[in-house]
Amino acid sequence: SAWKITKSVDKAAIATSGTLVYTITLTNTGSSDLASGTTAKIQELMPNGSIISAITGTSKIASTGVSCTYNGTAVTPGSSNNTAGDATTPFICTATLNATVGATTGTATFTITATAPSVAGSYTNYVSVDPAPNGTNPPTAGSTCTSTTNGSSNTCASQAITVSSAWKITKSVDKTAIATSGTLVYTITL
């Protein structure tokens, strides 16, 4: 058996500091089923300024079945140590199955909810997985991680996002009182 990984996001374009939900899908490409209790070791490289607010197992991974560390410290989403990504230091995560994942095409998924960076720009979120079930050595997530790193296909994935400044709109009028059939001038500022 061997893991492959894919990643998607609910919004490819978002305002600064908006909420994103990344979905990480692990697929069993091997010829044997993977039993409950099997793990996948993952590196997650978040864009600079991203803050994790939740990590949730969604299919064949319990809602609390993913644990992550950042610089050796456990990540507790939604608490004071929901560390911001720095685009160079990966989160190291272990996902534990709570149900059997079938051979060849069976999948398990989890989500990472995060705050988008507070600075507008184009960002890429990288993820990698050790292809060996219960493995402990995923390839280094990042732009140099290719689909065949570690000799297995699809051990790396990425998801691009575009973060734009949030628009602020104001409206004013030239007169606060006016006679019937008078003219008002409204100014709308973005």
Side-chain angles (χ1 to χ4, degrees):
S1 296
W3 289 120
K4 82 171 189 177
I5 196 165
T6 57
K7 175 173 228 156
S8 62
V9 67
D10 65 332
K11 300 173 205 88
I14 191 164
T16 55
S17 302
T19 300
L20 296 164
V21 179
Y22 293 99
T23 300
I24 293 87
T25 302
L26 300 163
T27 302
N28 176 7
T29 62
S31 58
S32 302
D33 291 350
L34 295 174
S36 178
T38 302
T39 62
K41 186 65 85 174
I42 298 147
Q43 277 197 15
E44 175 71 35
L45 188 60
M46 300 291 286
N48 190 29
S50 295
I51 300 173
I52 293 177
S53 58
I55 304 169
T56 309
T58 55
S59 174
K60 301 196 178 179
I61 299 172
S63 63
T64 58
V66 181
S67 60
C68 299
T69 60
Y70 183 77
N71 278 330
T73 302
V75 173
T76 307
S79 75
S80 60
N81 77 336
N82 58 349
T83 311
D86 66 6
T88 58
T89 305
F91 291 86
I92 307 298
C93 302
T94 301
T96 304
L97 299 179
N98 70 347
T100 298
V101 172
T104 312
T105 59
T107 62
T109 59
F110 67 95
T111 60
I112 295 178
T113 304
T115 302
S118 60
V119 176
S122 296
Y123 297 87
T124 303
N125 177 289
Y126 297 97
V127 66
S128 66
V129 65
D130 186 322
N134 300 313
T136 59
N137 190 27
T140 301
S143 61
T144 60
C145 191
T146 66
S147 63
T148 57
T149 300
N150 283 7
S152 295
S153 62
N154 301 309
T155 56
C156 304
S158 63
Q159 177 63 57
I161 60 169
T162 301
V163 178
S164 58
S165 296
W167 288 95
K168 179 181 177 185
I169 189 167
T170 59
K171 181 179 179 181
S172 62
V173 65
D174 67 332
K175 300 174 189 123
T176 57
I178 189 167
T180 305
S181 300
T183 301
L184 293 172
V185 177
Y186 289 97
T187 303
I188 298 173
T189 306
L190 295 176

